[in-house]
Amino acid sequence: MPADLDLYSIFCTVARCGSLSHAARELYVSQPAISQSMHRLEYMLGCTLFTRTSRGITLTSEGRMLYSYADKAISLISAAEDKLNRMRTLQSGGLMIGASDTLCQFFLLPYLEKFHTEYPEVQLQVTNRTTPDTVELLKVGKVDIALVNLPVVDSALCVRDVLKVHDVFVASDRFAHFKGRKVTLAELAREPLVLLEQASNSRKYLDDFASVCGVTLHPEIELGAHSLLVNFAKIGLGIACVTYEFASDAINSGELFKIDLAEPMPPRGIGLISLEGVPLSAAAERFISIVMESQNIQS
């Protein structure tokens, strides 16, 4: 652009006021400063924008054409600045979050409720995918932040641990012969197993653990939702590997019992991820702080 935005803004004020003195009072500057700015704009554009008379000023044909465009541009910029300010103060805008069905159901819901209660004008959008798919959505900008099953090792991501969880095997009384004793993973591998599908990070974590133990798991049933694992185990269709924190109701009620593994699986994490080095929106920063504060974690 041959002239800076301030000159166009001053030009629009002068054109609207129809007087250099009136424009000077509105902008809280001296009349000579306004006159100098208009001379500079005319020089840069190479045309005359105003006709000066004893009664004030009027726009030339070139001035009228410029004003028709510049006024709209200045108004749009002003509207954009106002919208940015509303987004910054969480009075508008949106937040796109990625997470699996399980993490939405058992972890994310209360935080979504709290955020929505505090900032009802911010539109929330939640996309459910497995952890690997969610990571890809984050990288291509389809979500702003994501809640995933850890570990996720990727230098392009900023990972915040928010919860430690424990994977356990549970069963109905059909498998009561496993109660009250230590059970090896090799023994369980010979039983009908109900596991999450291989695309999930939770299943990968289990398979990696089994591999370290020298065991290969061949489930009879593979499912896409954690709640289905619990329900299938309840009716005795097999032994399920579940997240203890998300299946504790069924275990505490006695519908399922936890199998005591001779070598328990190490705990793993649930994490909030964002793109490393990419500034977060005010909405994303606030949502993360709500989660971290509730978990008593320093962000």
Side-chain angles (χ1 to χ4, degrees):
M1 296 176 64
D4 62 46
L5 187 61
D6 283 341
L7 291 180
Y8 287 112
S9 181
I10 294 169
F11 163 75
C12 288
T13 303
V14 173
R16 187 176 68 255
C17 292
S19 164
L20 294 177
S21 59
H22 290 169
R25 285 195 294 271
E26 183 171 319
L27 296 173
Y28 298 100
V29 296
S30 67
Q31 182 172 329
I34 295 291
S35 181
Q36 183 179 14
S37 293
M38 292 304 91
H39 281 303
R40 182 181 170 201
L41 182 62
E42 289 177 323
Y43 175 77
M44 288 180 172
L45 296 178
C47 64
T48 301
L49 300 174
F50 299 103
T51 299
R52 294 159 178 83
T53 68
S54 58
R55 301 183 59 184
I57 59 172
T58 58
L59 291 171
T60 63
S61 58
E62 292 90 343
R64 288 194 297 272
M65 185 280 297
L66 179 63
Y67 180 67
S68 67
Y69 284 93
D71 186 54
K72 292 175 184 177
I74 296 298
S75 296
L76 285 173
I77 291 171
S78 177
E81 289 177 341
D82 179 65
K83 189 164 185 177
L84 283 172
N85 182 61
R86 289 177 59 81
M87 291 174 68
R88 182 179 58 80
T89 56
L90 300 179
Q91 298 177 67
S92 69
L95 176 60
M96 300 180 293
I97 304 172
S100 69
D101 291 338
T102 300
L103 295 181
C104 279
Q105 180 180 355
F106 295 107
F107 184 84
L108 197 58
L109 282 178
Y111 301 111
L112 292 173
E113 181 182 20
K114 179 176 174 61
F115 184 90
H116 179 65
T117 300
E118 292 185 9
Y119 310 105
E121 302 305 318
V122 178
Q123 183 178 358
L124 288 170
Q125 179 181 325
V126 181
T127 302
N128 297 135
R129 297 287 190 276
T130 62
T131 287
D133 288 343
T134 299
V135 169
E136 290 308 309
L137 288 177
L138 179 66
K139 287 184 174 181
V140 298
K142 295 294 181 67
V143 297
D144 301 312
I145 56 175
L147 188 69
V148 297
N149 289 292
L150 301 178
V152 172
V153 181
D154 191 325
S155 60
L157 303 178
C158 174
V159 181
R160 302 166 180 83
D161 288 273
V162 295
L163 180 68
K164 288 295 181 186
V165 294
H166 302 79
D167 296 302
V168 298
F169 285 91
V170 296
S172 69
D173 284 339
R174 174 190 167 189
F175 301 93
H177 53 285
F178 287 124
K179 285 184 176 181
R181 69 181 182 88
K182 298 285 186 181
V183 181
T184 66
L185 194 60
E187 286 181 86
L188 291 184
R190 294 191 289 270
E191 301 291 334
L193 297 178
V194 181
L195 305 179
L196 284 174
E197 59 190 3
Q198 288 183 313
S200 69
N201 241 33
S202 301
R203 172 63 184 282
K204 184 178 184 301
Y205 189 76
L206 170 61
D207 286 341
D208 289 346
F209 172 73
S211 178
V212 170
C213 296
V215 176
T216 301
L217 301 176
H218 299 286
E220 290 194 2
I221 300 173
E222 291 183 308
L223 300 169
H226 185 273
S227 57
L228 290 178
L229 295 176
V230 174
N231 291 332
F232 275 48
K234 282 181 182 179
I235 61 176
L237 289 181
I239 296 172
C241 183
V242 300
T243 302
Y244 177 82
E245 287 75 9
F246 303 153
S248 56
D249 287 347
I251 297 171
N252 294 334
S253 69
E255 295 174 280
L256 297 172
F257 70 91
K258 181 169 75 75
I259 294 174
D260 191 8
L261 276 182
E263 187 177 353
M265 291 179 63
R268 59 182 176 84
I270 303 298
L272 273 169
I273 62 172
S274 59
L275 291 177
E276 183 67 51
V278 177
L280 292 169
S281 68
E285 285 187 344
R286 179 57 186 146
F287 187 85
I288 290 173
S289 69
I290 287 175
V291 175
M292 304 295 269
E293 289 165 7
S294 297
Q295 295 295 319
N296 294 316
I297 300 170
Q298 290 283 71
S299 52

